[in-house]
Amino acid sequence: MQLPQLLPLLFMVLSDHASALSWFENPYLRNVISFEKQSSSNSSLLIPRTGTENRVNHYACYDSNTTPKSVLTGGMGSFDVHSFPTLKNSHIIGSAMWVTNQKRGDYSSINSASAGWEVNPSIYGDSKTHFHTLWTADGYKSTGCTNLECDGFVPVNYAPITPGDTIEANGGQTKFTIKIFRSKDDGDWWLHFGYDNQNLSRVGYWPKRIFNNMADHANLITWGGFTRSSVGDASPAMGNGQWPGETSAFVRDIKYVNTNGEADSEPAPGRKGLRAYLSHHKCYGLSPFINDMFSYGGPGGCTK
């Protein structure tokens, strides 16, 4: 599906060359900028704080625009896969979906399960693109880990992929779909994966017993891209390194999933639907959410 012809104009206002007229005529941009001011609270949901005192995290995401009292049972999304074969050892680039439950203002209450792709030389020892998972039950203080580095995520036999496996980007042509949902059969949080969004298979599950606030439901789901770099170091590219547009990185097929594992609804467009979060508009961009998808990314270069 091609984006409407209007979207290139909207993408332009997310760059440094946005005019004053564009600012006042585009409420979407005002929404994005307002969330830049909340980087400390929003980013805490996505990547562990532990050991990040000298690191800078950046995001271009949409979340479910829900409240702590909201009840969500799962989500899905399709992700373009990209490669960065010369990425520095201290840098991380990726894209993911996070399913989370958190009490307002209490970082230690964060329960989260996420999956997506990342290039992370410090973990994998290479600059290849890897499928990754992450979980925590206390805001990353003492529980949880990446992939299969600790007890938690349980892989199943004959899965189409295992956390930590490499994925060939094929010049950005590779795409995969994931869904994470709480099963009504056992109450566990299941992860499904497929290279065809109509044909997903089980990868494994996070047992409900490892969570406290998310044993029954989530209250926030987030989709998008992220980077990490050292303080004072120019941040890496995000997505495929291009500003949002028809040739940039995309997240598609964004939907909520019920306890049967079925995609039963998609977020509404506009302010009543998903909420935009962009950490630094001078280095990264985020398109409007339309037709259950959005594009994101940018060249990076931010030092804070």
Side-chain angles (χ1 to χ4, degrees), residues 33-137:
I33 300 301
S34 71
F35 272 85
E36 290 189 22
K37 299 177 182 179
Q38 302 180 30
S39 61
S40 62
S41 61
N42 281 351
S43 64
S44 68
L45 295 173
L46 308 182
I47 289 184
R49 283 181 176 177
T50 305
T52 64
E53 294 80 3
N54 298 315
R55 301 289 185 265
V56 178
N57 299 325
H58 284 293
Y59 305 91
C61 299
Y62 275 94
D63 71 34
S64 52
N65 198 16
T66 42
T67 71
K69 294 183 178 180
S70 298
V71 175
L72 299 173
T73 57
M76 69 174 289
S78 297
F79 298 82
D80 299 342
V81 180
H82 299 284
S83 62
F84 296 86
T86 59
L87 191 67
K88 295 176 62 173
N89 191 63
S90 60
H91 287 178
I92 302 173
I93 301 172
S95 185
M97 179 178 70
W98 296 262
V99 176
T100 305
N101 193 306
Q102 182 192 23
K103 297 178 181 178
R104 189 184 301 277
D106 183 2
Y107 184 87
S108 65
S109 73
I110 294 174
N111 284 215
S112 182
S114 66
W117 64 265
E118 70 174 358
V119 182
N120 188 341
S122 65
I123 287 182
Y124 302 105
D126 58 47
S127 291
K128 297 178 181 179
T129 304
H130 293 258
F131 182 66
H132 82 99
T133 60
L134 178 68
W135 73 274
T136 184

Side-chain angles (χ1 to χ4, degrees), residues 13 98 106 122 126 150 182-183 211-212 240 247 254 260 290:
V13 303
W98 296 262
D106 183 2
S122 65
D126 58 47
C150 67
R182 180 182 177 274
S183 171
F211 298 112
N212 39 64
N240 64 357
T247 60
I254 294 174
N260 292 317
I290 296 178

Side-chain angles (χ1 to χ4, degrees), residues 78-84 94-95 116-119 128-131 161 165-177 193-195 239-240 248-252 296:
S78 297
F79 298 82
D80 299 342
V81 180
H82 299 284
S83 62
F84 296 86
S95 185
W117 64 265
E118 70 174 358
V119 182
K128 297 178 181 179
T129 304
H130 293 258
F131 182 66
I161 198 166
D165 283 355
T166 58
I167 300 178
E168 294 296 329
N170 295 320
Q173 297 303 305
T174 299
K175 300 173 176 59
F176 67 77
T177 302
F193 173 99
Y195 291 107
N240 64 357
S248 63
F250 274 82
V251 182
R252 298 176 170 86
Y296 70 95

